[in-house]
Amino acid sequence: MFDLKAEAHTVAQSPVVPWQKLSGATVLITGVTGLIGSACARVLLERNRTEATGIRVVGLARDAKRAAHALEGYDAQDGLMIVEGDLLDGAVDGLRPDYLIHSACPTASKFFAEHPVETADAIVLGTRHMLELARTAVVKGFVYVSSMEVYGDGNGEPGLEHLLAEGDVGYVNPTSVRSCYPEGKRMAEQYCAAYASEYGVPASTVRLAQTFGPGIPKNDTRLFAMCARNAMAGKDIVLKTAGTSTRMYLYTADAITAILTVLLKGDPGAVYNAANPSTYSSVRQMAEMVATLFPDKGIRVRCELDPSAPYPPEHHLPLNVAALEALGWQPTVDLPRMYENLVQYLED
């Protein structure tokens, strides 16, 4: 059994994070039922348990019961308050948080393709609403959780010869329905920069590589989860693309230290890539690595191309993480261990 609380306890001792800034602070986290939001909340609550820092964690969720389940074992005595509502319905308008972590966002490609309007609205309008709350509350820090997908196609060829710095965004076709996600993320990042410039809101952005680990929904349909489940069951891993896209990955716990680092140390209006350079690989190489974790099951990686599958076009995204490293952050978990921990969690 993988112990999420034990991992959160370890992250809550990270020397990278200037924890003293959060002492007695109220931290509003959106999307607290999601992987990132729930992990952020868990770490802050564990910090309270171990160091009695008096952090008040306010979790915004559309479903309070789901949020309570995601944060099972924590309650008001630990500093937790769950607020039920949507990003746009005013549920948190009366709050005056000291810090705001905005992680709420759809994450499934199928949802993007079927609900592009709702996806774009949640990203763009939701972020605008949270920034307005941050402005009126005069927060000390705001971090927006963005995605590597803002880079679009990225580099023309795979390889680490040219790392993509935060300004090296690539082409995204604005007329593709699925572009509601990367284009929405780009506009949300622009709002962060605009609010920092015009209103002095200390809003920074952390751009995550594909992030996963224990805590994902057990029925997650994304490729990394499919690879893990198929391998556990001894089934071939079947890709619906050629698997030639290359990217970096990031373990959930490393993403949380990145988010907290940017929240507390980041420059207003700035963007920071967060990725583990050691994980850089093609989608097919990643799938083949997963198969090797189960050598006795004879798992093969096969490609059955499906042009209608709602995946992004071929892309190459070797991210430059120098700006985040300059704040003292370093990734700690490589790709094999990411999958080992994920499999242990899925076996529970």
Side-chain angles (χ1 to χ4, degrees), residues 49-78:
R49 285 185 170 182
T50 58
E51 303 295 333
T53 45
I55 303 169
R56 294 177 293 278
V57 179
V58 181
L60 176 64
R62 286 182 294 176
D63 187 330
K65 290 183 178 178
R66 278 188 62 202
H69 178 72
L71 297 173
E72 187 176 3
Y74 300 102
D75 56 26
Q77 290 187 334
D78 299 304

Side-chain angles (χ1 to χ4, degrees), residues 88-228:
L88 301 176
D89 68 2
V92 296
D93 287 356
L95 295 175
R96 289 295 180 267
D98 298 296
Y99 296 93
L100 201 158
I101 299 172
H102 181 33
S103 67
C105 184
T107 57
S109 285
K110 184 178 180 181
F111 185 90
F112 306 157
E114 295 177 352
H115 304 282
V117 175
E118 291 80 1
T119 298
D121 283 353
I123 296 171
V124 179
L125 302 183
T127 301
R128 169 75 191 276
H129 195 84
M130 290 301 105
L131 283 163
E132 189 62 24
L133 172 63
R135 182 176 75 88
T136 57
V138 194
V139 299
K140 298 175 183 177
F142 178 108
V143 63
Y144 174 60
V145 180
S146 189
S147 166
M148 66 178 185
E149 286 211 28
V150 302
Y151 287 103
D153 295 346
N155 288 338
E157 299 291 336
L160 296 170
E161 293 78 15
H162 173 55
L163 297 177
L164 296 168
E166 286 77 2
D168 297 330
V169 292
Y171 175 72
V172 173
N173 179 4
T175 64
S176 168
V177 170
R178 195 196 174 282
S179 293
C180 59
Y181 182 76
E183 290 284 55
K185 287 288 188 180
R186 288 186 180 195
M187 190 63 218
E189 289 188 12
Q190 167 58 31
Y191 262 126
C192 290
Y195 265 76
S197 174
E198 186 170 349
Y199 300 122
V201 175
S204 305
T205 294
V206 58
R207 226 176 251 164
L208 301 182
Q210 183 159 57
T211 301
F212 66 88
I216 67 168
K218 294 292 181 74
N219 61 350
D220 198 309
T221 59
R222 285 174 290 177
L223 176 64
F224 65 81
M226 180 275 289
C227 288

